[in-house]
Every structure is written in structure tokens, then in C-alpha cells.
Coordinates of all heavy atoms in Angstrom, one line a residue:
M87 N 21.4 138.1 113.7 CA 21.6 136.6 113.9 C 21.2 136.1 115.3 O 20.5 135.1 115.4 CB 23.1 136.3 113.7 CG 23.4 134.8 113.6 SD 25.2 134.6 113.1 CE 25.3 132.8 113.2
F88 N 21.6 136.8 116.4 CA 21.2 136.4 117.6 C 20.2 137.5 118.2 O 20.5 138.6 118.2 CB 22.4 136.3 118.5 CG 23.4 135.3 118.1 CD1 24.5 135.5 117.5 CD2 23.0 133.9 118.3 CE1 25.4 134.6 117.0 CE2 23.9 132.8 117.9 CZ 25.1 133.3 117.2
Q89 N 19.0 136.9 118.7 CA 18.0 137.8 119.2 C 18.2 138.2 120.7 O 17.7 139.1 121.1 CB 16.7 137.2 119.0 CG 16.3 137.0 117.5 CD 16.5 138.3 116.7 OE1 15.9 139.4 117.1 NE2 17.1 138.3 115.5
R90 N 18.9 137.4 121.4 CA 19.1 137.5 122.8 C 19.9 138.8 123.0 O 20.7 139.2 122.1 CB 19.7 136.4 123.4 CG 21.2 136.1 123.1 CD 21.6 134.8 123.5 NE 20.7 133.7 123.0 CZ 20.8 132.4 123.3 NH1 21.6 132.0 124.2 NH2 20.1 131.5 122.7
P91 N 19.9 139.4 124.3 CA 20.7 140.6 124.5 C 22.1 140.3 124.3 O 22.7 139.3 124.7 CB 20.5 140.9 126.0 CG 19.1 140.2 126.3 CD 19.1 139.0 125.3
R92 N 22.8 141.2 123.5 CA 24.2 140.9 123.2 C 25.1 141.4 124.2 O 25.9 142.4 124.0 CB 24.4 141.4 121.8 CG 23.5 140.7 120.8 CD 23.6 141.2 119.4 NE 23.2 142.6 119.3 CZ 23.3 143.3 118.1 NH1 23.8 142.8 117.1 NH2 22.9 144.6 118.1
K93 N 25.1 140.8 125.3 CA 25.9 141.3 126.5 C 27.2 140.7 126.5 O 27.4 139.5 126.3 CB 25.1 141.0 127.7 CG 25.8 141.6 129.0 CD 24.8 141.3 130.1 CE 25.6 141.1 131.4 NZ 24.6 140.7 132.5
V94 N 28.3 141.4 126.8 CA 29.6 140.9 126.8 C 30.3 141.5 128.1 O 30.2 142.7 128.3 CB 30.4 141.3 125.6 CG1 31.8 140.5 125.6 CG2 29.7 141.1 124.3
A95 N 30.9 140.6 128.9 CA 31.6 141.0 130.1 C 33.0 141.5 129.7 O 33.7 140.8 129.0 CB 31.6 140.0 131.1
C96 N 33.4 142.6 130.2 CA 34.9 143.1 129.9 C 35.8 142.2 130.6 O 35.7 141.8 131.9 CB 35.0 144.4 130.5 SG 36.7 145.0 130.4
P97 N 36.8 141.6 129.9 CA 37.8 140.8 130.5 C 38.7 141.5 131.6 O 39.3 140.8 132.4 CB 38.6 140.2 129.4 CG 38.4 141.1 128.3 CD 37.0 141.8 128.4
E98 N 38.8 142.8 131.4 CA 39.6 143.6 132.3 C 39.0 143.9 133.6 O 39.5 143.7 134.7 CB 40.1 144.8 131.7 CG 40.9 144.6 130.3 CD 42.3 144.0 130.6 OE1 42.8 144.3 131.7 OE2 42.7 143.2 129.8
C99 N 37.7 144.4 133.6 CA 37.1 144.9 134.7 C 35.8 144.3 135.0 O 35.1 144.6 136.0 CB 36.9 146.5 134.7 SG 35.7 147.0 133.5
S100 N 35.4 143.3 134.2 CA 34.1 142.5 134.4 C 32.9 143.3 134.2 O 31.8 142.9 134.6 CB 34.1 141.8 135.7 OG 35.2 140.9 135.8
A101 N 33.0 144.5 133.7 CA 31.8 145.4 133.5 C 31.0 144.8 132.3 O 31.5 144.2 131.5 CB 32.1 146.8 133.2
S102 N 29.6 145.0 132.3 CA 28.8 144.6 131.3 C 28.8 145.6 130.1 O 28.6 146.8 130.3 CB 27.3 144.4 131.8 OG 27.3 143.4 132.7
N103 N 29.1 145.1 128.9 CA 29.0 145.9 127.7 C 28.0 145.3 126.8 O 27.8 144.1 126.8 CB 30.3 146.0 127.2 CG 31.3 146.9 128.0 OD1 31.4 148.1 127.9 ND2 32.0 146.3 128.9
Y104 N 27.5 146.1 125.8 CA 26.6 145.5 124.9 C 26.9 146.0 123.4 O 27.3 147.1 123.2 CB 25.1 146.1 125.2 CG 24.7 145.8 126.6 CD1 25.0 146.5 127.7 CD2 24.0 144.6 126.8 CE1 24.6 146.2 128.9 CE2 23.6 144.2 128.1 CZ 23.9 145.0 129.1 OH 23.5 144.7 130.4
W105 N 26.7 145.0 122.5 CA 26.7 145.4 121.1 C 25.5 146.2 120.7 O 24.4 145.8 121.1 CB 26.9 144.1 120.2 CG 28.1 143.4 120.3 CD1 28.4 142.3 121.1 CD2 29.4 143.8 119.7 NE1 29.8 142.0 121.0 CE2 30.4 142.9 120.1 CE3 29.7 144.8 118.8 CZ2 31.6 142.8 119.6 CZ3 31.1 144.9 118.4 CH2 32.0 143.9 118.8
K106 N 25.7 147.2 120.0 CA 24.5 148.1 119.6 C 24.3 148.0 118.1 O 25.2 147.7 117.4 CB 24.7 149.5 120.0 CG 24.8 149.7 121.5 CD 24.8 151.2 121.8 CE 25.0 151.5 123.2 NZ 26.5 151.5 123.6
A107 N 23.0 148.2 117.7 CA 22.5 148.2 116.3 C 23.1 147.0 115.6 O 22.9 145.9 115.9 CB 23.1 149.5 115.8
N108 N 23.7 147.3 114.4 CA 24.2 146.2 113.5 C 25.7 146.4 113.3 O 26.2 146.9 112.3 CB 23.5 146.5 112.2 CG 22.9 145.2 111.7 OD1 23.3 144.1 112.2 ND2 22.0 145.2 110.8
P109 N 26.5 145.8 114.2 CA 28.0 145.9 114.0 C 28.5 145.2 112.8 O 27.9 144.2 112.5 CB 28.5 145.3 115.3 CG 27.3 145.0 116.2 CD 26.1 144.9 115.3
K110 N 29.6 145.7 112.2 CA 30.2 145.0 111.2 C 31.1 144.0 111.8 O 31.5 144.2 112.9 CB 31.1 146.0 110.4 CG 30.3 147.0 109.5 CD 31.1 147.7 108.5 CE 32.0 148.8 109.1 NZ 31.2 149.9 109.7
P111 N 31.5 142.9 111.1 CA 32.4 141.8 111.7 C 33.7 142.4 112.3 O 34.3 141.8 113.2 CB 32.6 140.9 110.5 CG 31.5 141.1 109.6 CD 31.1 142.6 109.8
T112 N 34.1 143.5 111.6 CA 35.5 144.0 112.0 C 35.4 145.1 113.1 O 36.4 145.5 113.7 CB 36.1 144.6 110.8 OG1 35.3 145.6 110.2 CG2 36.6 143.6 109.8
D113 N 34.1 145.5 113.5 CA 34.0 146.4 114.6 C 34.5 145.8 115.9 O 34.2 144.6 116.2 CB 32.5 146.8 114.7 CG 32.0 147.8 113.7 OD1 32.9 148.2 112.9 OD2 30.8 148.1 113.6
V114 N 35.1 146.6 116.7 CA 35.6 146.1 118.0 C 34.9 146.8 119.1 O 34.7 148.0 119.1 CB 37.2 146.3 118.1 CG1 37.6 145.9 119.5 CG2 37.9 145.6 117.0
L115 N 34.4 146.0 120.0 CA 33.8 146.5 121.2 C 34.7 146.9 122.3 O 35.6 146.2 122.6 CB 32.8 145.4 121.8 CG 31.9 145.9 123.0 CD1 30.9 147.0 122.5 CD2 31.2 144.7 123.5
H116 N 34.6 148.2 122.7 CA 35.5 148.7 123.7 C 34.7 148.8 125.0 O 33.6 149.2 125.0 CB 36.1 150.0 123.3 CG 37.2 149.9 122.3 ND1 36.9 149.9 121.0 CD2 38.5 149.7 122.4 CE1 38.0 149.8 120.3 NE2 39.1 149.6 121.2
C117 N 35.3 148.5 126.1 CA 34.6 148.6 127.4 C 34.3 150.1 127.7 O 35.2 150.9 127.5 CB 35.6 148.1 128.5 SG 34.8 148.3 130.2
R118 N 33.1 150.3 128.1 CA 32.7 151.7 128.4 C 33.2 152.2 129.7 O 33.1 153.4 130.0 CB 31.2 151.9 128.3 CG 30.4 151.0 129.2 CD 29.0 150.9 128.8 NE 28.3 149.7 129.6 CZ 27.2 149.8 130.2 NH1 26.5 150.9 130.2 NH2 26.7 148.8 130.8
Y119 N 33.8 151.4 130.4 CA 34.4 151.9 131.7 C 35.9 152.0 131.7 O 36.5 153.1 132.0 CB 34.1 150.9 132.8 CG 32.5 150.8 133.1 CD1 31.8 149.8 132.5 CD2 31.9 151.8 133.8 CE1 30.5 149.7 132.7 CE2 30.5 151.8 133.9 CZ 29.8 150.8 133.4 OH 28.4 150.7 133.6
C120 N 36.6 151.0 131.2 CA 38.0 151.0 131.3 C 38.6 151.2 129.9 O 39.9 151.3 129.7 CB 38.7 149.9 132.0 SG 38.5 148.3 131.0
R121 N 37.8 151.2 128.9 CA 38.2 151.4 127.5 C 39.0 150.3 126.9 O 39.7 150.4 125.9 CB 39.0 152.7 127.3 CG 38.2 153.9 127.8 CD 36.8 154.1 127.2 NE 36.8 154.2 125.7 CZ 35.7 154.0 125.0 NH1 34.6 153.8 125.6 NH2 35.7 154.1 123.7
A122 N 39.1 149.1 127.6 CA 39.9 148.0 127.0 C 39.2 147.4 125.8 O 38.0 147.5 125.7 CB 40.0 146.9 128.1
A123 N 39.9 147.0 124.8 CA 39.3 146.3 123.7 C 38.8 144.9 124.1 O 39.6 144.1 124.6 CB 40.3 146.2 122.6
I124 N 37.5 144.6 123.9 CA 37.0 143.3 124.4 C 37.1 142.2 123.3 O 37.7 141.2 123.5 CB 35.5 143.5 124.8 CG1 35.5 144.4 126.1 CG2 35.0 142.1 125.3 CD1 34.2 144.8 126.6
A125 N 36.5 142.5 122.2 CA 36.6 141.6 121.0 C 36.0 142.2 119.8 O 35.2 143.1 119.9 CB 35.7 140.3 121.4
S126 N 36.3 141.7 118.6 CA 35.6 142.2 117.4 C 34.3 141.4 117.4 O 34.1 140.4 118.0 CB 36.4 141.8 116.2 OG 36.5 140.4 116.0
Y127 N 33.4 142.0 116.6 CA 32.0 141.4 116.5 C 32.2 140.0 115.9 O 31.4 139.1 116.3 CB 31.1 142.2 115.6 CG 29.7 141.8 115.7 CD1 29.0 141.8 116.9 CD2 29.0 141.4 114.5 CE1 27.7 141.4 117.0 CE2 27.7 141.0 114.7 CZ 27.0 141.0 115.9 OH 25.7 140.6 115.9
D128 N 33.1 139.8 114.9 CA 33.3 138.4 114.4 C 33.6 137.4 115.4 O 33.1 136.4 115.5 CB 34.4 138.6 113.2 CG 34.4 137.4 112.4 OD1 33.4 136.8 112.0 OD2 35.6 137.0 112.0
E129 N 34.6 137.8 116.3 CA 35.0 136.9 117.3 C 33.9 136.6 118.3 O 33.7 135.5 118.7 CB 36.2 137.6 118.2 CG 37.5 137.5 117.5 CD 38.6 138.4 118.1 OE1 38.1 139.3 119.0 OE2 39.7 138.3 117.8
Y130 N 33.1 137.6 118.6 CA 32.0 137.5 119.5 C 30.9 136.5 118.9 O 30.4 135.6 119.7 CB 31.3 138.8 119.7 CG 30.0 138.8 120.4 CD1 29.8 138.4 121.7 CD2 28.9 139.0 119.6 CE1 28.5 138.3 122.3 CE2 27.6 138.8 120.1 CZ 27.5 138.5 121.5 OH 26.2 138.4 122.0
V131 N 30.6 136.7 117.6 CA 29.6 135.8 117.0 C 30.2 134.4 117.0 O 29.4 133.4 117.3 CB 29.3 136.3 115.6 CG1 28.5 135.3 114.8 CG2 28.5 137.6 115.6
Q132 N 31.4 134.2 116.6 CA 31.9 132.8 116.6 C 31.9 132.2 118.0 O 31.6 131.0 118.2 CB 33.4 132.8 116.2 CG 33.5 133.0 114.6 CD 34.9 132.9 114.1 OE1 35.8 132.3 114.7 NE2 35.2 133.6 113.0
D133 N 32.3 133.0 119.0 CA 32.2 132.5 120.4 C 30.9 132.2 120.8 O 30.7 131.1 121.4 CB 32.7 133.7 121.3 CG 33.8 133.3 122.2 OD1 34.8 132.8 121.7 OD2 33.6 133.5 123.4
T134 N 29.9 132.9 120.5 CA 28.5 132.7 120.9 C 28.0 131.5 120.2 O 27.3 130.6 120.7 CB 27.7 133.9 120.6 OG1 28.2 135.1 121.2 CG2 26.2 133.7 121.1
A135 N 28.3 131.3 118.9 CA 27.9 130.2 118.1 C 28.5 128.9 118.6 O 27.7 127.9 118.7 CB 28.3 130.4 116.6
Q136 N 29.7 129.0 119.1 CA 30.4 127.8 119.6 C 29.7 127.3 120.9 O 29.5 126.2 121.2 CB 31.9 128.0 119.7 CG 32.6 126.8 120.1 CD 34.1 126.9 120.1 OE1 34.6 127.8 119.6 NE2 34.8 126.0 120.7
R137 N 29.5 128.4 121.8 CA 28.9 128.0 123.1 C 27.5 127.4 122.9 O 27.1 126.5 123.6 CB 28.8 129.3 123.9 CG 30.0 129.5 124.9 CD 29.7 130.4 126.0 NE 29.2 131.7 125.5 CZ 30.1 132.7 125.3 NH1 31.3 132.6 125.4 NH2 29.6 133.8 124.8
E138 N 26.7 128.0 121.9 CA 25.4 127.6 121.6 C 25.4 126.2 121.1 O 24.6 125.3 121.5 CB 24.8 128.5 120.6 CG 23.2 128.3 120.4 CD 22.4 128.6 121.6 OE1 22.9 129.1 122.6 OE2 21.2 128.5 121.5
A139 N 26.4 125.9 120.2 CA 26.5 124.5 119.6 C 26.9 123.5 120.7 O 26.3 122.4 120.7 CB 27.6 124.6 118.5
E140 N 27.8 123.9 121.6 CA 28.1 123.0 122.7 C 26.9 122.7 123.6 O 26.7 121.6 124.0 CB 29.3 123.6 123.5 CG 30.6 123.4 122.9 CD 31.7 124.3 123.5 OE1 31.4 124.9 124.5 OE2 32.8 124.3 123.0
R141 N 26.1 123.7 123.8 CA 24.9 123.6 124.7 C 24.0 122.6 124.0 O 23.4 121.7 124.7 CB 24.3 124.9 125.0 CG 23.2 124.9 126.0 CD 22.6 126.3 126.2 NE 21.9 126.7 125.0 CZ 20.7 126.2 124.7 NH1 20.1 125.3 125.4 NH2 20.1 126.6 123.6
L142 N 23.7 122.9 122.7 CA 22.7 122.0 122.0 C 23.2 120.6 121.9 O 22.5 119.7 122.1 CB 22.5 122.6 120.6 CG 21.7 123.8 120.5 CD1 21.7 124.4 119.0 CD2 20.3 123.5 121.0
L143 N 24.6 120.4 121.8 CA 25.1 119.1 121.7 C 25.0 118.4 123.0 O 24.6 117.2 123.0 CB 26.6 119.2 121.3 CG 27.3 117.9 120.8 CD1 26.6 117.5 119.5 CD2 28.8 118.1 120.6
A144 N 25.3 119.1 124.1 CA 25.1 118.5 125.4 C 23.7 118.1 125.6 O 23.4 117.0 126.2 CB 25.6 119.5 126.5
E145 N 22.7 118.9 125.3 CA 21.3 118.6 125.4 C 21.0 117.4 124.6 O 20.3 116.5 125.1 CB 20.5 119.7 124.9 CG 19.9 120.5 126.1 CD 19.0 121.7 125.6 OE1 18.5 121.6 124.5 OE2 19.1 122.7 126.3
F146 N 21.4 117.3 123.4 CA 21.1 116.3 122.5 C 21.7 114.9 123.0 O 21.0 113.9 123.1 CB 21.7 116.5 121.1 CG 21.6 115.4 120.2 CD1 20.3 115.0 119.6 CD2 22.7 114.5 119.9 CE1 20.3 113.9 118.7 CE2 22.6 113.4 119.0 CZ 21.4 113.2 118.4
V147 N 22.8 114.9 123.5 CA 23.5 113.8 124.1 C 22.7 113.2 125.3 O 22.5 112.1 125.4 CB 25.0 114.0 124.4 CG1 25.6 112.9 125.2 CG2 25.8 114.2 123.1
E148 N 22.4 114.2 126.2 CA 21.6 113.8 127.3 C 20.3 113.1 127.0 O 20.0 112.1 127.5 CB 21.4 115.0 128.3 CG 22.5 115.3 129.2 CD 22.4 116.6 129.9 OE1 21.2 117.0 130.1 OE2 23.4 117.1 130.3
T149 N 19.6 113.8 126.0 CA 18.3 113.3 125.6 C 18.4 111.9 125.0 O 17.7 110.9 125.3 CB 17.7 114.2 124.6 OG1 17.7 115.5 125.1 CG2 16.3 113.8 124.2
D150 N 19.5 111.8 124.2 CA 19.7 110.5 123.5 C 19.9 109.3 124.5 O 19.4 108.2 124.4 CB 20.9 110.7 122.6 CG 20.8 109.8 121.3 OD1 19.6 109.6 120.9 OD2 21.8 109.3 120.9
I151 N 20.8 109.6 125.6 CA 21.1 108.6 126.5 C 19.9 108.2 127.3 O 19.6 107.0 127.5 CB 22.3 109.1 127.5 CG1 23.6 109.1 126.7 CG2 22.3 108.2 128.7 CD1 24.7 109.8 127.4
S152 N 19.0 109.2 127.7 CA 17.9 108.8 128.5 C 16.8 108.1 127.7 O 16.2 107.2 128.2 CB 17.2 110.1 129.1 OG 16.8 111.0 128.0
R153 N 16.8 108.4 126.4 CA 15.8 107.6 125.6 C 16.4 106.2 125.4 O 15.6 105.2 125.4 CB 15.8 108.3 124.1 CG 14.5 107.8 123.4 CD 14.3 108.7 122.2 NE 15.5 108.7 121.3 CZ 16.0 109.8 120.7 NH1 15.4 110.8 120.7 NH2 17.1 109.6 119.9
D154 N 17.7 106.0 125.2 CA 18.3 104.7 125.1 C 18.0 103.9 126.4 O 17.7 102.7 126.3 CB 19.8 104.7 124.8 CG 20.1 105.1 123.4 OD1 19.1 105.2 122.6 OD2 21.2 105.3 123.0
L155 N 18.2 104.5 127.5 CA 18.0 103.9 128.8 C 16.6 103.4 128.9 O 16.3 102.3 129.4 CB 18.4 104.8 130.0 CG 19.9 104.9 130.2 CD1 20.2 105.9 131.3 CD2 20.6 103.6 130.5
A156 N 15.6 104.2 128.6 CA 14.2 103.9 128.6 C 13.9 102.8 127.7 O 13.1 101.8 128.2 CB 13.4 105.2 128.2
H157 N 14.5 102.7 126.5 CA 14.3 101.6 125.6 C 14.9 100.3 126.2 O 14.2 99.3 126.2 CB 14.9 101.9 124.3 CG 14.8 100.9 123.3 ND1 13.6 100.5 122.8 CD2 15.7 100.0 122.7 CE1 13.7 99.5 121.9 NE2 15.0 99.2 121.9
L158 N 16.0 100.5 126.8 CA 16.7 99.3 127.4 C 15.9 98.7 128.6 O 15.7 97.5 128.7 CB 18.1 99.7 127.9 CG 19.1 98.6 128.4 CD1 19.4 97.7 127.2 CD2 20.4 99.3 128.9
K159 N 15.4 99.6 129.4 CA 14.5 99.2 130.5 C 13.2 98.5 130.0 O 12.9 97.4 130.6 CB 14.1 100.4 131.4 CG 15.1 100.8 132.4 CD 14.6 102.0 133.2 CE 15.8 102.6 134.0 NZ 15.4 103.9 134.4
A160 N 12.7 99.0 129.0 CA 11.5 98.3 128.4 C 11.8 96.9 127.9 O 11.0 96.0 128.1 CB 10.9 99.2 127.3
V161 N 12.9 96.8 127.2 CA 13.4 95.5 126.7 C 13.6 94.5 127.8 O 13.1 93.4 127.8 CB 14.6 95.6 125.8 CG1 15.2 94.3 125.4 CG2 14.2 96.5 124.5
L162 N 14.3 95.0 128.8 CA 14.7 94.2 130.0 C 13.5 93.7 130.8 O 13.3 92.6 131.3 CB 15.7 94.9 130.9 CG 17.1 95.0 130.3 CD1 17.9 95.8 131.3 CD2 17.7 93.7 130.0
A163 N 12.4 94.7 130.8 CA 11.2 94.4 131.6 C 10.3 93.4 130.9 O 9.5 92.7 131.5 CB 10.5 95.6 131.8
A164 N 10.5 93.2 129.6 CA 9.7 92.3 128.8 C 10.6 91.5 127.9 O 10.5 91.6 126.6 CB 8.6 93.1 128.0
P165 N 11.3 90.6 128.4 CA 12.3 89.8 127.6 C 11.6 88.9 126.6 O 12.2 88.6 125.6 CB 13.2 89.1 128.5 CG 12.3 89.0 129.8 CD 11.5 90.3 129.8
E166 N 10.4 88.4 126.9 CA 9.8 87.5 126.0 C 9.4 88.2 124.7 O 9.2 87.5 123.6 CB 8.5 87.0 126.6 CG 7.3 88.0 126.8 CD 7.5 88.9 128.0 OE1 8.5 88.8 128.7 OE2 6.5 89.7 128.3
Q167 N 9.4 89.5 124.6 CA 9.1 90.3 123.4 C 10.2 90.1 122.3 O 10.0 90.1 121.1 CB 8.9 91.7 123.6 CG 7.5 92.1 124.2 CD 7.3 93.5 124.4 OE1 8.2 94.3 124.0 NE2 6.3 93.9 125.1
R168 N 11.4 89.8 122.8 CA 12.5 89.6 121.9 C 12.5 88.2 121.2 O 12.9 87.9 120.2 CB 13.9 89.8 122.6 CG 14.2 91.3 122.9 CD 15.5 91.4 123.6 NE 15.4 90.8 124.9 CZ 16.4 90.7 125.8 NH1 17.6 91.0 125.4 NH2 16.2 90.1 127.0
V169 N 11.9 87.2 122.1 CA 11.8 85.9 121.5 C 10.7 85.6 120.6 O 10.8 85.1 119.6 CB 11.8 84.8 122.8 CG1 11.8 83.5 122.2 CG2 12.9 85.1 123.8
N170 N 9.5 86.2 121.1 CA 8.3 86.1 120.3 C 7.7 87.5 120.0 O 6.7 87.9 120.7 CB 7.2 85.2 121.0 CG 7.7 83.9 121.3 OD1 8.2 83.1 120.4 ND2 7.6 83.5 122.6
P171 N 8.2 88.1 119.0 CA 7.7 89.5 118.8 C 6.3 89.6 118.3 O 5.9 88.6 117.6 CB 8.7 90.1 117.7 CG 9.4 88.9 117.1 CD 9.3 87.7 118.1
Ligands
ZN225 ZN1 36.5 147.2 131.3

């Protein structure tokens, strides 16, 4: 599903851990240093999907606002266009 490196930081010791191969949704990633349980693959995917959705949404909103502002500036710069289109 995700092509980027599937890196996860351990919440206990902050070490970098990685999902390998093709984990099942119920597989749990354990820290290779302190052996703490980090998250199930299902939780990881949901987490990643949510962060990605938030990032895309933030980008979309920013783009939308700047486009609206550009349009508004164009309209304000040429008010006669609204009267005699
Ligand atoms: Zn750890």
C-alpha cells in the first residue's frame, strides 16, 4: 500500500524500527532494541493514512486559498470587468 520506507520510531526508546516484507494487519512490530510492542500493522497503516490525509488536506486548503486570493486580486484590479463583462 505504501511505497515509502516503513519506518516507525519506538515510543519507549525512540529507536528506528521497520516493517519488513508483507505484514498481516494483526502482526505487531516489536522494538529490536528494547522489545517493547510498538503497534500492530493495522494501527500503523491507519495512522499513516490519517497523517497522509491531513497533509493532503492541508495542501489542498492552502492551494485553494491562494487561488481564491489571486482571483480576488484580479477582480479588484479590474473592477470595470464586473460592470461590463
Ligand atoms: Zn525501543
Side-chain angles (χ1 to χ4, degrees):
M87 189 171 177
F88 297 102
Q89 297 304 312
R90 68 191 59 187
R92 298 178 295 178
K93 184 174 150 184
V94 190
C96 171
E98 298 294 326
C99 69
S100 299
S102 294
N103 290 272
Y104 300 88
W105 289 101
K106 292 191 190 84
N108 227 343
K110 291 191 287 292
T112 50
D113 282 357
V114 175
L115 183 66
H116 287 88
C117 179
R118 58 197 164 131
Y119 297 99
C120 72
R121 306 306 302 162
I124 297 174
S126 71
Y127 190 62
D128 195 38
E129 286 169 344
Y130 165 74
V131 168
Q132 282 184 26
D133 230 55
T134 307
Q136 190 175 342
R137 269 201 301 272
E138 188 72 359
E140 281 168 4
R141 193 183 63 77
L142 287 174
L143 194 64
E145 253 177 36
F146 173 76
V147 167
E148 275 171 27
T149 306
D150 213 32
I151 287 171
S152 62
R153 197 173 54 218
D154 283 355
L155 282 178
H157 179 66
L158 189 63
K159 275 182 196 162
V161 170
L162 290 175
E166 71 278 4
Q167 282 182 8
R168 283 179 296 175
V169 183
N170 302 306

